[in-house]
Amino acid sequence: MDHTNPWESAKKQLAKATAHLSLDPLFYATLEHPDRIVEVSVPIKMDDGTIRVFDGFRVQHNNKRGPYKGGLRYHEEVDMDEVRALSFWMTIKNAVIDVPFGGGKGGIRVNAKEMSEAELERLTREFTRKIAPVIGPDMDVPAPDVNTNGKIMLWIVEEYAKVVGKKELAVVTGKPVGEGGSEGRTEATGLGGYYALTELAPKLGKNLVGLRVAVQGFGNVGSYVAQYLEEAGCVIVAIADSQTGMMQKDGIKNIQAIREYKEKTGKLEGCPELANAERIAHDDVLKLDVDVIAPSALENALTIDNAPHIQASIVLEMANGPTTAEADEFLNSKGVVIIPDILANSGGVAVSYCEWKQNKTNEYWKKEEVFTFLQEKMRAAAGGVWDISQQYKVSLREAAYMLALKRIGGQY
Ligand code: NAD
C-alpha cells in the first residue's frame, strides 16, 4: 500500500475515528464511496500553436447537508485519488464548521506556473464548459485552492453563464471583492487557523504570546496564518515556500510585507525583511525546535520518515492532509497534539459560505461582520471538538470526525 496516497490516508482516518462507534454500515459505505466522479479531457491550444490535452477532475463526495462545495486545484501532481480524498475531507470539514454544504473537490493536472495567463484562461473556460452540467449554486460550488485564484473564478462565472444562459455569481466562491466576492475571504483560512489555535492553546496550557512557530508553505494560507500569529505575539521562527526555508531565531518580523513581496515576485529570496534570516532547506522548517509547526503547503508534509524528528508539541494542520496516517499515529503516541485540517483550515469554507449567501440574497456584509461570523464558527467548532476529545478520550482528529459524522449521519 502507498502510505502517501491521500485517499488511503483518508479512509484510514475514517476507520480509526469510527472504530469504537457503532456506525451504520450503509452510512459508512456512503462515506467510503463518493456520490459522483467526473473526469474530463481538456484540450487547448497553447500560445505556440501546439495542442495539449489536460486531465480534469471533479469529485462530488456527499451532499447530505447541502450543495457539494470545495476548491479547484491546478497542480502537476493532481490525480483522482488526491481529489477523492480532498472531496471527502470537505464533506467532513463542512460538517465540523457547520455550514450547509456537502463536500466536493476538483483539479486539473497541470503545471500552472509554466502556463501563460491566456493559456490558463483557455484551460479554465474549457474545463468549465465540460463540468457545467454538474455544477451550479445549488448543486456544486467550486472555489480557489492551490494555484487558482479570484481571476480564475471569474472566468468560471462567465463561462458557466454562457452554458446556462444567465449569470450566477453563486456558482463559485473566492471571487474578487467588488465582483461578487466577500470581504475577508482572502484572509479567512489563515485567520481561522489563528482563531482555532487561540481557542485551543489555553486548553493545552499554552499562551500565544511568545509561542514559537514555524510555517511550511507561504501561499495564501501560510502567509496569513503567520501574519495573524505574529500580530498575536507569537515568534515566527521560520517560514518556507517550495524553494527556500528562512529562519530567524528571534523571530521573523513584518510578515505582511514579506507576503506582499512574495505576491509580487513569486519568491522569498531577496526580500529585504528576510535579509538577516538564515537560509535552510525548505523541508527542515518542520523539524525546528519550536512549539508549533503549521504545515500549510500540500499533502504528506509529515510522514513516518520525518515524524521522529518533529520537536514541536502542537501541529496546526493548515494544509489539507499534511500528515500521513502512520505519521499521525506516531505523533499521537509521542503526545504531540495535532489540530486537524478538518478543523484548523475550515475558516476558508466558513467565509465561502458568507460569500455564497451574500450572492444568493444580494446582500453585502462588511469585513467586521464576516470576521465575527468566522470567529464564532471557529470558536464553536474548536470548542465542540475539544469537548468530544475530552469526553471520549480521543485525539482532536477523531473528535472532529465524530462531531462531523453526528451532523451528517445523525449518529456516532
Ligand atoms: P498556495 O498555492 O497559495 O500556496 C501553497 C504554498 O506552498 C506556496 O507558497 C508553495 O511555494 C508552498 N509549497 C509547496 N510545496 C512546499 C514544500 N515542500 N515546502 C514548503 N513550501 C511548499 O495554496 P493555498 O491556497 O495557500 O493552499 C495551501 C494548502 O491549504 C493546500 O493544502 C490547500 O488545499 C489548503 N487549503 C486552502 C484553503 C484556501 O482558502 N486557500 C482553504 C483550506 C485549505
Side-chain angles (χ1 to χ4, degrees):
M1 199 193 83
D2 175 6
H3 295 290
T4 57
N5 179 316
W7 180 234
E8 295 301 332
S9 286
K11 283 195 294 187
K12 271 197 179 168
Q13 287 174 3
L14 178 65
K16 192 171 172 205
T18 55
H20 40 269
L21 310 177
S22 49
L23 213 63
D24 175 359
L26 179 59
F27 179 41
Y28 193 95
T30 310
L31 295 169
E32 266 200 317
H33 299 275
D35 287 354
R36 185 192 287 175
I37 289 177
V38 178
E39 189 168 355
V40 296
S41 296
V42 192
I44 60 159
K45 188 177 272 186
M46 306 299 282
D47 291 345
D48 65 4
T50 58
I51 304 295
R52 283 187 64 190
V53 184
F54 297 91
D55 296 325
F57 308 91
R58 186 77 191 165
V59 177
Q60 298 176 331
H61 178 263
N62 187 285
N63 65 353
K64 194 104 186 279
R65 288 173 44 88
Y68 305 103
K69 180 92 191 78
L72 208 52
R73 177 175 293 194
Y74 288 0
H75 196 270
E76 63 271 32
E77 280 166 24
V78 162
D79 66 18
M80 184 55 89
D81 272 357
E82 181 185 60
V83 180
R84 207 191 308 250
L86 291 165
S87 73
F88 164 77
W89 286 322
M90 286 309 297
T91 299
I92 302 295
K93 184 188 309 182
N94 290 336
V96 171
I97 194 67
D98 200 13
V99 289
F101 291 133
K105 198 83 182 191
I108 302 179
R109 191 183 304 130
V110 56
N111 185 342
K113 290 183 183 147
E114 282 179 358
M115 306 270 282
S116 71
E117 186 167 313
E119 288 167 342
L120 278 178
E121 180 172 351
R122 289 196 288 276
L123 181 76
T124 302
R125 289 183 184 278
E126 185 62 8
F127 178 66
T128 306
R129 216 177 53 73
K130 295 277 169 81
I131 64 164
V134 298
I135 62 171
D138 297 305
M139 168 97 80
D140 183 356
V141 185
D145 191 68
V146 175
N147 294 329
T148 52
N149 54 31
K151 192 184 272 180
I152 291 177
M153 295 304 113
L154 287 182
W155 293 332
I156 298 178
V157 170
E158 283 175 15
E159 207 56 38
Y160 181 75
K162 285 186 206 159
V163 177
V164 300
K166 66 174 171 165
K167 189 169 176 179
E168 299 258 28
L169 284 174
V171 67
V172 288
T173 58
K175 300 177 289 293
V177 176
E179 296 183 78
S182 178
E183 299 283 355
R185 175 61 186 89
T186 312
E187 304 92 317
T189 308
L191 180 59
Y194 156 70
Y195 286 146
L197 189 63
T198 306
E199 182 70 21
L200 294 172
K203 299 183 193 299
L204 298 166
K206 305 271 187 201
N207 185 339
L208 246 53
V209 177
L211 210 61
R212 296 171 66 75
V213 182
V215 179
Q216 181 231 26
F218 199 72
N220 172 276
V221 174
S223 64
Y224 276 106
V225 78
Q227 181 182 326
Y228 286 111
L229 291 174
E230 182 200 4
E231 285 169 11
C234 295
V235 180
I236 308 299
V237 175
I239 57 175
D241 67 7
S242 58
Q243 295 144 27
T244 333
M246 296 280 187
M247 179 179 74
Q248 195 166 329
K249 287 203 172 120
D250 61 346
I252 295 171
K253 311 280 178 337
N254 204 352
I255 299 283
Q256 183 175 345
I258 301 172
R259 190 191 52 255
E260 283 159 12
Y261 178 88
K262 162 96 186 173
E263 274 168 11
K264 223 181 297 153
T265 64
K267 55 190 173 105
L268 292 173
E269 200 63 66
C271 176
E273 273 74 18
L274 293 168
N276 296 326
E278 192 183 321
R279 273 113 192 101
I280 56 172
H282 64 117
D283 285 338
D284 284 352
V285 294
L286 296 170
K287 301 180 199 160
L288 296 175
D289 181 12
V290 291
D291 301 298
V292 180
I293 51 174
S296 313
L298 293 168
E299 297 91 88
N300 301 322
L302 295 170
T303 65
I304 200 60
D305 297 328
N306 64 1
H309 305 290
I310 302 305
Q311 301 188 61
S313 58
I314 299 177
V315 178
L316 182 64
E317 287 189 339
M318 295 307 299
N320 285 309
T323 312
T324 65
E326 280 177 307
D328 188 66
E329 193 118 327
F330 178 86
L331 292 170
N332 275 324
S333 75
K334 295 284 172 205
V336 176
V337 175
I338 301 179
I339 304 177
D341 48 4
I342 46 177
L343 169 65
N345 71 30
S346 60
V349 76
V351 173
S352 282
Y353 168 73
C354 299
E355 179 175 336
W356 180 80
K357 183 96 180 156
Q358 288 171 78
N359 293 157
K360 284 182 78 86
T361 53
N362 226 354
E363 284 176 21
Y364 168 78
W365 297 9
K366 292 202 214 69
K367 197 180 251 190
E368 301 77 66
E369 291 174 77
V370 172
F371 284 173
T372 302
F373 174 87
L374 174 62
Q375 187 169 15
E376 280 168 10
K377 280 287 184 199
M378 293 305 304
R379 189 179 288 158
V385 168
W386 175 262
D387 289 347
I388 294 174
S389 80
Q390 296 300 295
Q391 191 185 342
Y392 290 86
K393 311 246 173 305
V394 293
S395 70
L396 293 176
R397 192 187 311 282
E398 288 167 86
Y401 268 94
M402 289 168 73
L403 180 66
L405 295 175
K406 178 120 191 193
R407 288 184 175 151
I408 302 163
Q411 53 176 316
Y412 276 171

